[in-house]
Amino acid sequence: MAFQQYDIRALANLLRQPGEDSDSDSDTVCGGHSYGPGHVGPEKNSKDGTAEKDTKQSKDIWSADEIPEGSEFDSLWDQRPQPEYSIVYNQNVRTEDIFLQMGNKTPSSSSCERMVVKIQLPNTMMKDISLDVKPKFLDLRTPKYKLGLHLPFTVKEDESQAQWDGGESCLSVSLKMIREFDFVNF
């Protein structure tokens, strides 16, 4: 069933406010109110349940909570190369998970508890490494390398561990992931 042109006009006549000009072609005015891009999306509600307007008087383009974590470490002028790295996921399995398949563990990364970031830092000494771990960002700095890594999962920075292997020139950072409970992780 296709709508005809007269069907759309009949619908527009039904939606028109009383006393409104019948040949008005204004799409941005409805009931005497002008609408713009700021009216798209859900309304903000106050504590008493009524809709309230955004009373932000600042001329800022965005708020501090809209800036992604770790962006303060990004620098376009820093020409140090990014080291090679890999991310490996670990999970704690027991005998019944492997042999009896009685647990709820699967081989996928959705059942993992830890994320290990292995970073290759050739010709680097441990004393030169500066490491900062945030819930969604890992920042590593050395005199020769710079790595700003946005993590795929939120981690507990307090329960992170780092281990330096001088023979391999590799830093292994073990991060405990914060996982939401779902049908796999319960």
Side-chain angles (χ1 to χ4, degrees):
M1 178 169 121
F3 285 107
Q4 300 294 328
Q5 182 178 6
Y6 61 86
D7 292 334
I8 294 174
R9 287 190 185 188
L11 179 63
N13 288 335
L14 283 174
L15 298 175
R16 185 171 295 115
Q17 296 291 328
E20 187 178 338
D21 189 14
S22 63
D23 55 339
S24 169
D25 289 337
S26 175
D27 293 332
T28 60
V29 176
C30 182
H33 299 289
S34 178
Y35 291 104
H39 292 88
V40 176
E43 291 183 359
K44 295 181 180 179
N45 291 327
S46 63
K47 292 181 182 177
D48 60 356
T50 60
E52 66 180 19
K53 297 226 180 217
D54 190 12
T55 58
K56 185 172 120 179
Q57 298 296 324
S58 173
K59 293 187 178 188
D60 293 339
I61 297 173
W62 55 79
S63 65
D65 56 340
E66 294 175 324
I67 300 171
E69 188 172 345
S71 62
E72 67 268 14
F73 297 111
D74 294 339
S75 173
L76 299 174
W77 306 110
D78 192 353
Q79 298 298 318
R80 291 181 285 181
Q82 177 176 315
E84 291 183 22
Y85 68 92
S86 63
I87 299 176
V88 179
Y89 297 98
N90 289 344
Q91 59 178 292
N92 298 328
V93 292
R94 299 179 299 218
T95 308
E96 58 266 10
D97 293 328
I98 296 173
F99 296 110
L100 302 175
Q101 298 175 353
M102 293 174 61
N104 59 350
K105 301 283 183 168
T106 65
S108 69
S109 63
S110 63
S111 295
C112 296
E113 292 91 13
R114 297 192 82 77
M115 174 178 15
V116 179
V117 181
K118 295 183 178 187
I119 307 164
Q120 299 294 325
L121 299 166
N123 303 322
T124 303
M125 299 178 68
M126 186 176 79
K127 66 177 183 168
D128 296 334
I129 298 173
S130 171
L131 179 66
D132 187 20
V133 177
K134 305 274 186 204
K136 290 286 288 174
F137 192 77
L138 182 138
D139 180 46
L140 178 125
R141 307 284 172 131
T142 69
K144 296 180 183 180
Y145 299 102
K146 173 191 78 162
L147 176 64
L149 181 63
H150 293 275
L151 300 172
F153 296 103
T154 306
V155 299
K156 294 182 179 179
E157 66 268 19
D158 300 340
E159 298 182 29
S160 302
Q161 301 170 350
Q163 184 177 359
W164 174 251
D165 183 2
E168 299 279 326
S169 295
C170 178
L171 180 68
S172 296
V173 183
S174 177
L175 307 165
K176 183 169 176 70
M177 295 187 292
I178 299 173
R179 302 305 295 257
E180 296 293 324
F181 291 115
D182 56 7
F183 68 95
V184 177
N185 302 307
F186 52 89

